[in-house]
C-alpha cells in the first residue's frame, strides 16, 4: 500500500516536473528569442568583436576602442539600451556564438555573403572595406593575383579573405592566424610571401607596429560589411537598420569614420549602396 501510494505520487510529481520543464523551456525560448526586448530589459547590449583588428576594433589599455566600438555605443544609445558589453571572439566563432545566444550582435566587419545569410541575419551595410595584397617592404616584384600562384599566403581564419585565397589562388599554401596583426608580423619576418588584408587595417597596423610590409597592386575586391544577429529577430533588425540609416543621414557615422579611417567619410561610401543587401 505504501509502495503503491509512493509510486503514484512519484508518477504525478514526474508529470508535473516534465510539464513544468516544458513550460519553463517555452518561456526561456520566448524571452531569449526577442533580442531587442531582452537587451532593453537587461539594459545591456552584448556586442562581439575581435578586439584585435585596428582601426576597426582593438584594445587600448585593455579597453575596446576603434570604429566598431564607437558605432556600437551610438547604436545602443539609439536603441534605448544604456550599456554595451563587449565580448572578445574571432571570425571563426562569430556565427556559432551569435546563434548560440552568447552575444546579441556582432559588430566586427563581417562581410555580407550568401553563405553566411543561410545561418544568420545581417543589418544594412555599416562599412565597406577594400582587400589588398600586402608584401614585404623590399619586394619590388610585380604584384597581382597571378603573382600569388603557388606562394605562401597569410590570412585571418574565418574571413572572406581566407576563403578568397583558398578558391582564387591556385597552388597557394594558406597560413591562417587569429588576427591580421599576427599575419602581417609573420609576413614582415619572411614566413609568408604575401598577406590578404583590409587596406585600411593593414596600413594602420604596418604604421602602428613599424612592420616592414606594404600594400601592393590594385584592390582585389571591395567587401560590404554588416552587423550579424540571430535569425528571426525582425524587430531587432528593423530598429538596428533605422538607427544605422539615421547615423548615415545625420552625419554621425561620417564623424566616427573620419576619426578612425584617415578622414574617410564612410557615410558617403554607404549612400551609394542599396540598404537591403542583407536581405
Amino acid at each position: 500500500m505504501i509502495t503503491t501510494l509512493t509510486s503514484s505520487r512519484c508518477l504525478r510529481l514526474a508529470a508535473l516536473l516534465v510539464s513544468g520543464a516544458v513550460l519553463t523551456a517555452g518561456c526561456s525560448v520566448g524571452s531569449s528569442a526577442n533580442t531587442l526586448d531582452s537587451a532593453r530589459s537587461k539594459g545591456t547590449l552584448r556586442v562581439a568583436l575581435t578586439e584585435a583588428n585596428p582601426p576597426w576594433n582593438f584594445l587600448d589599455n585593455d579597453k575596446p576602442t576603434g570604429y566598431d566600438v564607437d558605432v556600437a555605443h551610438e547604436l545602443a544609445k539609439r536603441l534605448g539600451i544604456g550599456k554595451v558589453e563587449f565580448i572578445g571572439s574571432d571570425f571563426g566563432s562569430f556565427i556559432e556564438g551569435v546563434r548560440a545566444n552568447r552575444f546579441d550582435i556582432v559588430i566586427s566587419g563581417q562581410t555580407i555573403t550568401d553563405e553566411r545569410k543561410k545561418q544568420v541575419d545581417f543589418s544594412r551595410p555599416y562599412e565597406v572595406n577594400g582587400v589588398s595584397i600586402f608584401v614585404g617592404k623590399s619586394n619590388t616584384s610585380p604584384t597581382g593575383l597571378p603573382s600569388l600562384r603557388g606562394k605562401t599566403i597569410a590570412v585571418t581564419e574565418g574571413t572572406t579573405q581566407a576563403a578568397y585565397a583558398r578558391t582564387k589562388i591556385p597552388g597557394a599554401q594558406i597560413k591562417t592566424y587569429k588576427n591580421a596583426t599576427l599575419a602581417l608580423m609573420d609576413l614582415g619576418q619572411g614566413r609568408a610571401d604575401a598577406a590578404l588584408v583590409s587596406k585600411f587595417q593593414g596600413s594602420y597596423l604596418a604604421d602602428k607596429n613599424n612592420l616592414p610590409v606594404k600594400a601592393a597592386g590594385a584592390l582585389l575586391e571591395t567587401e560590404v560589411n554588416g552587423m550579424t544577429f540571430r535569425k528571426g529577430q525582425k524587430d531587432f533588425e528593423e530598429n538596428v537598420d533605422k538607427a544605422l540609416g539615421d547615423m548615415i543621414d545625420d552625419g554621425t557615422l561620417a564623424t566616427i569614420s573620419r576619426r578612425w579611417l584617415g578622414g574617410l567619410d564612410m557615410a558617403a561610401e554607404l549612400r551609394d549602396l542599396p540598404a537591403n543587401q542583407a536581405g
Side-chain angles (χ1 to χ4, degrees), residues 42-279:
K42 295 174 183 174
T44 301
L45 182 68
R46 299 173 301 160
V47 176
L49 35 67
T50 65
E51 299 183 341
N53 284 309
W56 307 106
N57 65 80
F58 58 103
L59 294 178
D60 185 9
N61 292 321
D62 292 326
K63 182 179 178 181
T65 190
Y67 175 85
D68 292 332
V69 172
D70 284 1
V71 169
H73 280 298
E74 184 66 26
L75 175 66
K77 182 173 73 175
R78 294 180 186 232
L79 293 177
I81 302 169
K83 179 185 174 185
V84 178
E85 177 189 353
F86 291 106
I87 300 171
S89 187
D90 56 61
F91 283 97
S93 305
F94 282 149
I95 289 178
E96 175 192 347
V98 81
R99 292 180 71 190
N101 199 28
R102 290 199 289 271
F103 25 81
D104 301 315
I105 191 168
V106 178
I107 305 179
S108 199
Q110 275 193 301
T111 303
I112 300 170
T113 68
D114 290 337
E115 188 60 33
R116 285 173 175 166
K117 284 191 285 188
K118 294 175 184 177
Q119 305 174 74
V120 292
D121 283 340
F122 282 93
S123 70
R124 65 178 293 167
Y126 83 105
E127 64 182 38
V128 293
N129 193 9
V131 178
S132 282
I133 299 170
F134 279 78
V135 296
K137 212 159 196 175
S138 61
N139 189 331
T140 57
S141 302
T143 303
L145 204 56
S147 73
L148 301 182
R149 182 187 294 265
K151 298 293 180 65
T152 300
I153 312 298
V155 292
T156 303
E157 185 55 76
T159 62
T160 52
Q161 293 97 300
Y164 186 98
R166 291 187 176 107
T167 58
K168 299 287 182 68
I169 307 175
Q173 178 186 347
I174 309 302
K175 294 186 70 174
T176 60
Y177 301 82
K178 280 291 185 181
N179 57 63
T181 305
L182 296 174
L184 290 173
M185 286 176 65
D186 248 19
L187 173 63
Q189 292 170 10
R191 289 195 281 266
D193 298 307
L196 302 190
V197 184
S198 148
K199 186 171 184 178
F200 287 123
Q201 181 186 30
S203 300
Y204 179 95
L205 289 170
D207 180 64
K208 186 85 170 176
N209 298 297
N210 197 28
L211 299 176
V213 301
K214 63 183 179 182
L219 291 176
L220 292 181
E221 61 181 0
T222 299
E223 299 175 341
V224 178
N225 299 337
M227 301 176 180
T228 313
F229 36 86
R230 286 178 297 124
K231 280 191 167 294
Q233 305 301 299
K234 197 65 181 174
D235 189 35
F236 187 54
E237 180 179 349
E238 289 174 353
N239 278 269
V240 168
D241 282 353
K242 182 182 185 307
L244 286 174
D246 291 344
M247 290 164 66
I248 291 169
D249 292 339
D250 66 20
T252 303
L253 202 66
T255 299
I256 293 172
S257 67
R258 286 192 182 108
R259 177 186 179 193
W260 293 106
L261 306 178
L264 174 75
D265 183 350
M266 185 63 76
E269 302 285 330
L270 295 172
R271 286 191 191 100
D272 295 331
L273 296 175
N276 63 350
Q277 288 204 17

